Each structure stands twice: as structure tokens, then as C-alpha cells.
Amino acid sequence: MSSYAVFLRGVNVGGITIKMAELKDALKSRPFSGVKTLLASGNVVLSSDLSAAGVKKEFEACLREAFGYDAWVVVLASDRVGELVAVCPYPADDSSTHTYLTLGSDADVLAELYEAGRALDGTELTLLGPEALAWLAPAGGTLDSPFSKLSSKPKYKASTTTRNLRTMIKVRDAAALL
């Protein structure tokens, strides 16, 4: 059995509201164990005999059936979450900036986003691997930052989601307990 972190895209924003207790309850009918939700932004750790692709397929089907929306998730092996946190070159806590990881389920789309982001003036951006990139945003100005605006374009919606590095550390720590 393997442990995974599942990151939901667009939950509890834009009119899609899912209570984490309801999500956990809906997942009981799926081939997952040790399901734990973290924060209200759609972070889940779980164990399964399925591959990461199988977890993604089952999880998205569950969201569509139980909550009636076109759901997308990014699934990473728990060990990989720890590796991404470890190699992130930016600080988890800084008074002037916030560190984010944009996670992707499609390496080609993430690579395209990375290249487009590199062309933006003043954007601090690092590719961490085929499934993640890290970037900095000014404190209090994340949504107005050029990279945030770029990454929120519809072409990236189905395969990427973004988390603060502090959230990724919490997910890493929760997954280590599975």
C-alpha cells in the first residue's frame, strides 16, 4: 500500500463549496484508507493499493458523483511531497514574500507554464521537477502578481493547482503519519 497527497483544484472558491467532513465521508466508498483532510483548501492524504493515476481517476470520479462538478486533482506520492519541500529554494516564512508551489498533473503543461513564467519581468521562479515549480509573490500581493495571473488562465485549470509552501509542509507532515 502506498501513501499519497491529493490536491484539489478550485475548492471553496468560485462557488464550489465542499466541507472537508463531507469529502472524507464521500471517499469512504472508494479504495482508499487512512483518509485525512487538511485545511479547507482541498488537501487530502490517504493510502491506497492503486497507482497515483488510479487514485486520480477514482478521486475525480468521486468528486463528480458526490458534489456534481467537473473536478481536477493533482496526486503526488507522499515521499515526493517531502522531496519537493526539501528542494524548494525559497523560504517558508518571510515577512516580504510568500513562497508557492504550483503542482501539475501534466508535465508538458507545467513546462509550458514555467517557460511562460520565466518571460515575466521580476518573477522569481524555479522548476522543482516535472510536477512542480516554486515561485515567490510579494506579501499581500499574491493574486495581483504577474505569475498568479498567468497561472490562473483557463488553459492551466485542468492540470495545475497552487499551494503555499507552509501548506505543503503540513501535507508532508500529515502524510508521514500514514
Side-chain angles (χ1 to χ4, degrees):
M1 184 155 303
S2 299
S3 62
Y4 297 98
V6 181
F7 302 93
L8 287 71
R9 168 84 160 111
V11 173
N12 297 333
V13 294
I16 299 170
T17 303
I18 298 176
K19 290 182 170 72
M20 294 299 104
E22 292 174 3
L23 173 61
K24 190 173 177 179
D25 193 49
L27 292 169
K28 287 180 182 175
S29 67
R30 302 297 172 155
F32 308 136
S33 62
V35 175
K36 181 175 180 180
T37 61
L38 300 132
L39 311 170
S41 57
N43 306 292
V44 177
V45 294
L46 55 81
S47 295
S48 181
D49 287 326
L50 298 174
S51 66
V55 169
K56 178 178 173 50
K57 182 178 177 182
E58 281 287 327
F59 206 103
E60 288 176 343
C62 179
L63 291 172
R64 287 182 182 109
E65 292 165 18
F67 302 103
Y69 80 102
D70 201 13
W72 299 289
V73 301
V74 174
V75 177
L76 298 175
S78 296
D79 290 347
R80 187 62 180 146
V81 173
E83 291 168 359
L84 293 171
V85 166
V87 300
C88 182
Y90 309 125
D93 292 300
D94 181 278
S95 62
S96 64
T97 60
H98 293 291
T99 299
Y100 292 94
L101 273 64
T102 296
L103 310 170
S105 58
D106 182 321
D108 292 335
V109 171
L110 193 71
E112 176 187 321
L113 176 60
Y114 173 70
E115 290 303 323
R118 286 182 50 189
L120 298 172
D121 283 339
T123 299
E124 184 93 22
L125 187 66
T126 301
L127 189 63
L128 303 178
E131 71 286 83
L133 56 88
W135 54 284
L136 290 175
T142 299
L143 295 178
D144 293 327
S145 71
F147 189 78
S148 179
K149 290 179 180 180
L150 172 66
S151 65
S152 66
K153 289 187 175 188
K155 69 194 281 180
Y156 304 116
K157 186 177 182 179
S159 64
T160 65
T161 190
T162 297
R163 296 295 186 276
N164 187 291
L165 179 56
R166 290 185 314 274
T167 298
M168 294 295 291
I169 291 168
K170 290 175 184 174
V171 170
R172 176 204 62 197
D173 294 348
L177 300 175
L178 289 176

